[in-house]
Amino acid sequence: LWIPPYFVLMIFASTGLRLLGQPEELMANVEIYCRVLALAIPFEVTFFTIRQWLQNQHHVRQALVAIVIANVMNIVFNYLLIFTFDFGIVGCALATLLCQGLQLAILVGLCWRSHLQAIWQGSLRPVWSQIALMTRYSVPAAALLSIEAWGFVAASIMVGWLGATALAAHSIGLNIVSTSFMVVLGLSTAAATLVGNAVGAQRAWMPLVWRALGFMGSVQVPMAILLWCFPEFFAAIFTTDPAVIEMSIVVLRIGALFQFCDGVQVMLFAVTRAIGDVKWPFWAGLIAHWCIGLPLAYWLGEGQGGGIAGVWKGLLGALICASIFVSFRIWWLSRQPVTELSQLLSQSAQAH
């Protein structure tokens, strides 16, 4: 269901960006890049669906193997297509397309006989009551993830109004910050699985949350220190342009400040989804990112002339608010008897 609108967004990405005032000199590359990537959408969505199902069955090794191999091959394909065959931006997009297909093929190959074949040979008739139940929980959960993702997209559009140099620095900042974010995202997935199983078995689940936060801190705190102390080193990995490096230093130091609160909100929002609490976190995320963070980013970046630093301070404000809101929600949930928690949240979902 998500593939057609996703495909349309990618095909018309350059048109939308032009309407939003993005630098025209980038649009030719954006158009061809996004149109090639649109072909990878079925591979990406199918891989994500199978991976999530396997994860809920406590099988994560196969997806890990597929991801590692695909990422290594992505480096090889990028080098060959961009530099050896001189395809430029098209080569970068083709490399991603090939790796998305390879990733899915590896996962299916590893899991076909042990897990997927029985499902394929079984009844594929839709069970509408189960689909309705999944929709009730999945739509708010997916909306929360989209709220945050599109919040960063909106911030990127604001930065695009400042010119190509600011956009380059913004891209460098996001790429570096995303490195530690992906580690925490993986930890949050593991935490969500363990907490969901604990709640289902009516066992204590808060000790698992504390352990997950401890692991998160062991990743985010050192990363924050590195970004604060050595921003020029990280920026120089991506470019030799002095103007971009100078702007990236400012961005990375602000990024260092939101490492911990970003980790907290990612981890705890995943826990709320595992418990089955999806509607309250949706509203918390909406308020944090779109009612507080983005207006603050626009006011500081455009209204007060703060430029890219102002936009990133707005993102920092959004993540701080999100982490505070979800922390209070977890505190409230932890005070409810675990034997009554699932029933309480089910009644809440049905009421909405």
Side-chain angles (χ1 to χ4, degrees):
L1 293 176
W2 294 105
I3 291 177
Y6 192 3
F7 187 85
V8 171
L9 284 173
M10 293 294 286
I11 292 296
F12 294 102
S14 60
T15 302
L17 290 172
R18 282 192 178 95
L19 294 174
L20 293 169
Q22 298 306 289
E24 182 60 35
E25 62 267 26
L26 303 178
M27 289 304 104
N29 285 337
V30 167
E31 184 171 10
I32 192 166
Y33 183 80
C34 289
R35 289 188 175 181
V36 173
L37 279 190
L39 301 175
I41 291 173
F43 302 140
E44 179 185 358
V45 173
T46 305
F47 175 85
F48 180 81
T49 302
I50 296 174
R51 189 194 72 184
Q52 291 297 106
W53 181 82
L54 289 170
Q55 174 192 307
N56 290 334
Q57 308 300 314
H58 292 258
H59 300 293
V60 296
R61 184 178 295 116
Q62 296 92 334
L64 176 62
V65 170
I67 291 170
V68 169
I69 294 175
N71 275 277
V72 171
M73 292 307 300
N74 191 39
I75 298 172
V76 176
F77 290 153
N78 268 289
Y79 184 84
L80 290 174
L81 293 171
I82 295 174
F83 300 108
T84 304
F85 295 101
D86 199 25
F87 284 177
I89 192 71
V90 178
C92 181
L94 286 172
T96 302
L97 171 61
L98 289 172
C99 287
Q100 292 282 7
L102 176 64
Q103 184 175 249
L104 175 61
I106 293 172
L107 183 61
V108 172
L110 291 174
C111 300
W112 178 253
R113 288 190 176 181
S114 58
H115 300 94
L116 301 179
Q117 188 175 17
I119 296 176
W120 183 259
Q121 292 176 344
S123 175
L124 297 178
R125 183 182 302 172
V127 181
W128 295 110
S129 60
Q130 293 182 3
I131 292 174
L133 180 63
M134 285 191 292
T135 301
R136 194 169 71 222
Y137 285 100
S138 64
V139 169
L144 172 59
L145 296 174
S146 300
I147 282 169
E148 182 174 356
W150 282 98
F152 276 83
V153 170
S156 298
I157 291 170
M158 293 182 198
V159 173
W161 296 337
L162 303 173
T165 300
L167 198 57
H170 179 70
S171 298
I172 289 171
L174 288 181
N175 272 287
I176 294 173
V177 168
S178 296
T179 302
S180 59
F181 172 83
M182 293 307 294
V183 176
V184 174
L185 185 62
L187 290 173
S188 72
T189 300
T193 301
L194 294 173
V195 169
N197 288 331
V199 172
Q202 297 187 352
R203 300 194 309 267
W205 54 275
M206 270 306 293
L208 296 170
V209 175
W210 286 116
R211 287 178 205 159
L213 289 174
F215 276 117
M216 179 276 298
S218 70
V219 174
Q220 297 295 77
V221 171
M223 188 64 178
I225 294 172
L226 288 173
L227 289 179
W228 184 266
C229 295
F230 308 106
E232 188 173 357
F233 168 79
F234 288 104
I237 296 173
F238 292 83
T239 182
T240 56
D241 188 325
V244 176
I245 290 176
E246 182 180 359
M247 204 170 286
S248 297
I249 291 172
V250 176
V251 165
L252 290 173
R253 285 200 163 135
I254 299 172
L257 296 177
F258 70 59
Q259 288 291 295
F260 188 76
C261 57
D262 191 21
V264 169
Q265 64 99 22
V266 168
M267 188 69 69
L268 296 187
F269 274 130
V271 169
T272 61
R273 288 194 297 273
I275 295 173
D277 183 26
V278 291
K279 293 189 179 294
W280 194 97
F282 163 77
W283 292 109
L286 180 65
I287 292 170
H289 289 283
W290 287 86
C291 298
I292 297 175
L294 286 176
L296 182 63
Y298 183 83
W299 181 69
L300 292 174
E302 298 289 330
Q304 298 297 306
I308 190 172
V311 174
W312 273 65
K313 288 175 183 176
L315 293 176
L316 172 62
L319 294 171
I320 290 173
C321 291
S323 63
I324 292 172
F325 293 162
V326 73
S327 295
F328 274 112
R329 183 60 172 178
I330 289 292
W331 172 80
W332 183 85
L333 291 171
S334 69
R335 294 174 62 86
Q336 312 307 311
V338 70
T339 55
E340 302 174 8
L341 191 56
S342 297
Q343 182 180 1
L344 178 67
L345 293 174
S346 178
Q347 291 173 349
S348 175
Q350 291 174 0
H352 292 81

